[in-house]
Amino acid sequence: MDHAQHPARRLLTVVAALAVAGGLFGLAGIGSATGDAFPAPTPQAACGPGAREETDIQGRVPQRDYDTGRVDRGYRCNTEQVAHQGETGGFKVQRYRDDAGRLCAYYDSTLLFPKDILMNAAKGLGVIVLDMSNPSKPRKTDQLVSAAMQSPHESVLVNKKRGLLAAVLGNAATNAGVLDVYDISGNCRHPQLLSTTPTAVLGHESGWAPDGKTFWAASAAGQTLTAIDVSDPVAPKPVFFQSGVNYHGLRLSGDGRTMYVAEIGNPTDGSFSSGGLRILDVSEVQDRKPDPQVRLVSELDWPERSIPQVAEPFTRNGHPYLLEVDEFANYNFTSGQDQSDAPVGAARIIDIADPANPVIVSNLRLEVHQPAARKSSQQDDPGAMSPVQGYAGHYCSVPSRSDPKLVACSMIASGLRIFDISDLRDPVEVGYFNKPVRPGSKPANPTAEGGYAMSQPAWDVAHRQVWYSDGNSGFYAVRLTNGVGALLN
């Protein structure tokens, strides 16, 4: 196949090139490699009754499935679709139950500009609000179109403690840091806008302190980190600002005093030469000390790293860990040569009992992420060669910060993947769900092809469901079957 002549790939490559030209992969980190061994793929799921299994190696949707029509039936293993809503999706799905017991979901509807421009022109921008009282029949009750919510990129987050929904204006590089804060505690179906302020400086990704009093914004290409005091969400005010840092997702310890940062790193030859995990002491910000200082505790890198996306903290029997995921592959955007050598970082579990010396204990990967597979014919599959799609990771999540046994990951062209982490050192895949789009099947979204699962999944534990969105096809509620859901007990 002549990749240069494929319109969807050509457009998405332009989007990636614009992000790079805008400085998305700016300033250096200080990461250090931990060894040369490339981790093996996670053992693949054994599918029970009702499966529509993949027809090739773990995670792949081959071109022949499009040719035969097999792709139109989708792929599932120990999962089943409960509901579907909408036609586009973005980077976050959030779940919240309000003070009256109403259950809601929130998801951003714009994946990338200009990829979704025609679809969004017809359907509208913004963050979609769903009434999930009956998870089998999601009902759209609102659409948030305030400044930041029209293009929040990866920043939409709910703070459950205070019932606040917030996001900053962002894009694939960075954008003006307009912060929107909504109250969702009174009626999650109709969030109430409390404030729209330029307090984030620049925007791309974000993080909440668990007490809901500090919202953090990272700008990636803008190379800024900002902490905003939202103790009074009607009048947010910045309390910390740092420039010269190229940060992605920001997650915090339960007391809000330690931050786990996905550091993007700095390209020296068109690819990422440094980056990984940074652990920061942000206690002076949390304590609201005058002129607060943020201090580096430690850094960690891994040989197969691509672009660190986020590191979610959790515990097992009180012992602290991180679930870290990398996005995309570590493409060399300037070489103009074969990109099959670009490594896919996928995901990993990191022991942080000694925060000064974090240690990787296991990896979550698919066969399509491995170097040999990337050099095979899979690079000709729909969506596989796009530098902002392909067979790679993007977001993962756990159902609880305390003793989770399952992980859900949006792995782009491979769809939603479910992993059993009962044994943290030996995870296994236990399920998947993927609804790829046939190229050319959506006139209003002409670049849509394959799976485009990019969102942080949300968990509905009571119904044994995972909610996620696919950029090419919308929001899904997926039930875990054949005993997998029992791991949520």
Side-chain angles (χ1 to χ4, degrees):
M1 179 181 291
D2 184 356
H3 303 304
Q5 298 305 311
H6 196 294
R9 287 171 180 160
R10 185 166 62 248
L11 175 58
L12 292 172
T13 300
V14 168
V15 172
L18 289 172
V20 175
L24 173 59
F25 309 129
L27 209 69
I30 317 171
S32 58
T34 57
D36 296 326
F38 209 89
T42 304
Q44 66 186 70
C47 302
R52 290 179 180 168
E53 296 186 44
E54 294 169 332
T55 64
D56 207 287
I57 65 170
Q58 182 187 28
R60 185 180 180 187
V61 183
Q63 177 64 51
R64 67 171 179 272
D65 282 9
Y66 291 86
D67 297 338
T68 65
R70 167 66 184 84
V71 71
D72 297 330
R73 301 172 60 214
Y75 304 84
R76 67 184 187 222
C77 173
N78 301 329
T79 62
E80 63 182 4
Q81 180 176 315
V82 175
H84 171 244
Q85 192 275 338
E87 297 182 62
T88 64
F91 301 99
K92 294 286 175 63
V93 173
Q94 300 281 283
R95 177 187 178 276
Y96 179 73
R97 189 179 294 278
D98 67 22
D99 293 342
R102 292 175 286 249
L103 183 61
C104 294
Y106 307 93
Y107 74 95
D108 49 315
S109 63
T110 303
L111 188 62
L112 288 171
F113 179 88
K115 176 188 177 299
D116 300 326
I117 187 169
L118 294 179
M119 181 69 75
N120 289 136
K123 301 295 183 180
L125 300 168
V127 172
I128 308 301
V129 181
L130 300 179
D131 176 2
M132 296 295 289
S133 300
N134 180 352
S136 65
K137 295 181 179 180
R139 183 169 64 90
K140 180 179 173 182
T141 57
D142 214 334
Q143 188 161 328
L144 310 182
V145 293
S146 54
M149 295 294 173
Q150 291 192 49
S151 182
H153 202 62
E154 297 168 335
S155 69
V156 176
L157 285 176
V158 165
N159 182 272
K160 293 184 179 181
K161 183 176 180 63
R162 296 193 65 203
L164 296 175
L165 170 69
V168 294
L169 187 64
N171 57 32
T174 193
N175 210 335
V178 176
L179 170 67
D180 289 346
V181 183
Y182 284 78
D183 173 39
I184 56 175
S185 63
N187 185 349
C188 67
R189 299 172 185 171
H190 297 286
Q192 298 300 303
L193 180 62
L194 301 177
S195 58
T196 295
T197 62
T199 47
V201 184
L202 295 170
H204 182 96
E205 241 277 16
S206 67
W208 271 111
D211 64 8
K213 296 181 180 180
T214 311
F215 188 83
W216 291 82
S219 67
Q223 301 177 17
T224 61
L225 174 66
T226 309
I228 304 109
D229 186 331
V230 288
S231 300
D232 179 1
V234 176
K237 58 182 181 181
V239 291
F240 174 81
F241 174 79
Q242 183 179 11
S243 61
V245 290
N246 199 355
Y247 290 166
H248 221 170
L250 314 168
R251 299 295 181 264
L252 290 102
S253 58
D255 60 8
R257 302 172 71 81
T258 304
M259 180 182 285
Y260 309 106
V261 176
E263 184 189 12
I264 293 177
N266 179 48
T268 58
D269 59 357
S271 61
F272 304 95
S273 59
S274 60
L277 169 70
R278 276 193 173 185
I279 299 180
L280 303 179
D281 177 355
V282 296
S283 57
E284 292 190 9
V285 177
Q286 182 69 9
D287 294 341
R288 297 296 190 266
K289 289 189 175 182
D291 189 25
Q293 302 299 304
V294 168
R295 296 181 174 85
L296 177 66
V297 176
S298 63
E299 295 182 304
L300 179 68
D301 195 6
W302 39 96
E304 71 281 5
R305 172 183 41 77
S306 46
I307 308 170
Q309 177 64 59
V310 73
E312 300 280 355
F314 71 94
T315 61
R316 174 65 57 82
N317 298 323
H319 191 106
Y321 294 90
L322 296 175
L323 169 65
E324 195 280 339
V325 61
D326 292 357
E327 68 173 355
F328 303 139
N330 193 356
Y331 286 101
N332 187 316
F333 290 99
T334 62
S335 72
Q337 298 179 6
D338 177 28
Q339 301 292 337
S340 62
D341 286 329
V344 170
R348 61 209 40 81
I349 294 171
I350 304 172
D351 186 331
I352 53 169
D354 178 0
N357 295 286
V359 177
I360 296 171
V361 298
S362 60
N363 291 270
L364 305 174
R365 305 180 59 80
L366 306 178
E367 290 182 38
V368 287
H369 300 152
Q370 301 306 100
R374 289 182 54 75
K375 290 180 177 294
S376 75
S377 60
Q378 78 174 34
Q379 58 188 298
D380 291 326
D381 298 340
M385 275 296 292
S386 167
V388 289
Q389 192 178 0
Y391 293 118
H394 201 262
Y395 271 109
C396 297
S397 68
V398 289
S400 168
R401 282 195 171 193
S402 178
D403 298 314
K405 295 180 181 178
L406 290 176
V407 166
C409 293
S410 289
M411 288 186 164
I412 314 186
S414 299
L416 178 71
R417 317 302 293 203
I418 310 297
F419 299 92
D420 179 354
I421 61 166
S422 298
D423 183 345
L424 292 173
R425 296 183 178 275
D426 192 19
V428 295
E429 187 186 37
V430 289
Y432 54 79
F433 181 90
N434 196 8
K435 279 292 195 71
V437 169
R438 181 183 292 277
S441 64
K442 291 197 168 186
N445 198 3
T447 65
E449 60 175 16
Y452 219 140
M454 299 277 276
S455 72
Q456 176 180 309
W459 293 83
D460 184 9
V461 173
H463 296 101
R464 297 185 175 181
Q465 292 177 18
V466 182
W467 303 344
Y468 84 106
S469 68
D470 184 299
N472 284 340
S473 57
F475 170 92
Y476 293 90
V478 177
R479 180 182 292 115
L480 305 179
T481 64
N482 297 324
V484 174
L487 293 169
L488 291 171
N489 293 342

